């Protein structure tokens, strides 16, 4: 039973290029979350998605960042015109549909580490 | 809305000593509480969680945490630290809307 799969694990981009990070949730999970971890800082919530819907994007920067979770395929976090400050580890997590028996536990991928030169 | 405060960004203990990592939460609904561990260049792994019922929760690797509603705390403890416990530890809280929020993390160093 595969866990949360993120790719690429490492991505290098030059300033002004685009970065696309992919996340395939665990089988049977319908919720995807993206978090950003800056060096020596904790995890910052970015966005929470269900299939074809953005539920909460209160942590997303207003410009250059977007996320989607299409009906088919992985969730994508897209960063346009990257700047050096975007260098960070981006973690994806998934969870099943929360019901009365579900505790909201998240299952994390290994992360994608973006370096902007 | 939920939030978490972890007291102490760095904690250093000697091997064999007690580990105590502090976490206080704020939640407008009965919370679910979690501790995750992150080893270098890896994702987060669940150590333990509190949902309902017994307030003392036991997790993997000998860790445990106690939910104290009156103190809004969920501190993580381990009686005897091992070198392999050196890692980053995150406390997290979620409500009933799949809205997990994390603390800033505590880096645990274990000295030989």
């Amino acid at each position: 039973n595969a866990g949360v799969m993120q790719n690429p694990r490492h991505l290098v981009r030059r300033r002004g290029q685009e970065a696309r990070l992919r996340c395939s949730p665990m089988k049977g999970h319908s919720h995807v979350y993206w978090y950003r971890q800056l060096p020596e800082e904790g995890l910052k919530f970015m966005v929470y998605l269900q299939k074809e819907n953005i539920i909460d994007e209160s942590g997303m920067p207003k410009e250059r960042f977007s996320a989607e979770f299409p009906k088919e395929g992985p969730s994508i976090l897209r960063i346009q015109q990257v700047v050096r400050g975007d260098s960070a580890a981006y973690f994806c997590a998934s969870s099943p549909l929360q019901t009365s028996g579900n505790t909201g536990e998240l299952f994390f991928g290994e992360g994608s580490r973006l370096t902007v030169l | 809305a939920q939030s978490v405060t972890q007291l102490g960004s760095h904690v250093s203990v000697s091997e064999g000593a007690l580990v105590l990592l502090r976490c206080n939460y704020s939640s407008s609904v009965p919370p679910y509480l979690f501790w995750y561990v992150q080893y270098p260049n890896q994702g987060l792994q669940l150590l333990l969680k509190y949902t309902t019922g017994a307030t003392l929760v036991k997790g993997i690797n000998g860790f445990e945490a106690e939910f104290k509603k009156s103190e809004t705390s969920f501190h993580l403890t381990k009686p005897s630290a091992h070198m392999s416990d050196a890692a980053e530890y995150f406390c997290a809280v979620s409500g009933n809307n799949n809205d997990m929020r994390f603390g800033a993390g505590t880096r645990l160093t274990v000295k030989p």
Side-chain angles (χ1 to χ4, degrees):
Chain A
N1 188 15
V4 177
M5 303 300 291
Q6 289 189 248
N7 69 84
R9 291 291 311 278
H10 300 275
L11 181 64
V12 179
R13 285 288 179 266
R14 296 188 181 280
R15 282 179 295 171
Q17 292 184 319
E18 179 179 286
R20 286 193 178 218
L21 309 177
R22 297 173 197 79
C23 170
S24 296
M26 285 182 69
K27 187 176 181 180
H29 286 191
S30 57
H31 297 213
V32 165
Y33 306 75
W34 287 94
Y35 290 83
R36 177 165 62 177
Q37 185 176 36
L38 293 165
E40 302 303 317
E41 294 189 19
L43 284 164
K44 300 296 185 185
F45 168 78
M46 299 183 74
V47 63
Y48 160 38
L49 311 103
Q50 294 178 20
K51 287 281 188 182
E52 300 184 282
N53 281 307
I54 296 175
I55 306 302
D56 180 355
E57 57 181 346
S58 58
M60 288 279 272
K62 299 298 182 192
E63 298 177 346
R64 301 187 298 107
F65 284 71
S66 62
E68 62 177 8
F69 188 17
K71 185 176 181 181
E72 300 291 338
S75 176
I76 306 286
L77 179 66
R78 181 184 179 201
I79 311 172
Q80 296 177 290
Q81 300 174 344
V82 295
V83 301
R84 288 203 174 130
D86 297 333
S87 295
Y90 293 83
F91 288 93
C92 173
S94 72
S95 73
L97 177 66
Q98 188 167 18
T99 65
S100 60
N102 179 275
T103 59
E105 176 184 345
L106 298 186
F107 296 82
F108 280 82
E110 299 269 305
S112 292
R113 283 157 181 82
L114 172 66
T115 301
V116 180
L117 301 178
Chain B
Q2 283 71 240
S3 67
V4 168
T5 301
Q6 290 184 242
L7 301 175
S9 58
H10 291 84
V11 170
S12 181
V13 301
S14 297
E15 191 174 18
L18 171 71
V19 176
L20 171 60
L21 305 182
R22 299 178 186 275
C23 172
N24 288 89
Y25 70 91
S26 172
S27 179
S28 55
V29 298
Y32 297 141
L33 294 159
F34 307 82
W35 276 99
Y36 283 84
V37 60
Q38 183 184 30
Y39 297 101
N41 297 315
Q42 294 187 24
L44 278 71
Q45 303 172 32
L46 182 69
L47 268 181
L48 49 79
K49 63 183 178 184
Y50 167 79
T51 54
T52 58
T55 56
L56 181 62
V57 180
K58 294 186 184 298
I60 62 172
N61 300 339
F63 284 92
E64 61 183 36
E66 186 171 10
F67 170 59
K68 292 186 176 180
K69 185 177 179 180
S70 62
E71 299 178 7
T72 60
S73 69
F74 191 57
H75 302 330
L76 182 71
T77 60
K78 181 174 180 177
S80 177
H82 192 272
M83 296 297 290
S84 61
D85 294 327
E88 187 97 21
Y89 291 81
F90 293 94
C91 182
V93 62
S94 72
N96 51 15
N97 291 311
N98 284 63
D99 52 355
M100 186 176 288
R101 295 293 185 270
F102 287 82
T106 299
R107 185 175 299 276
L108 176 66
T109 302
V110 182
K111 299 174 292 186

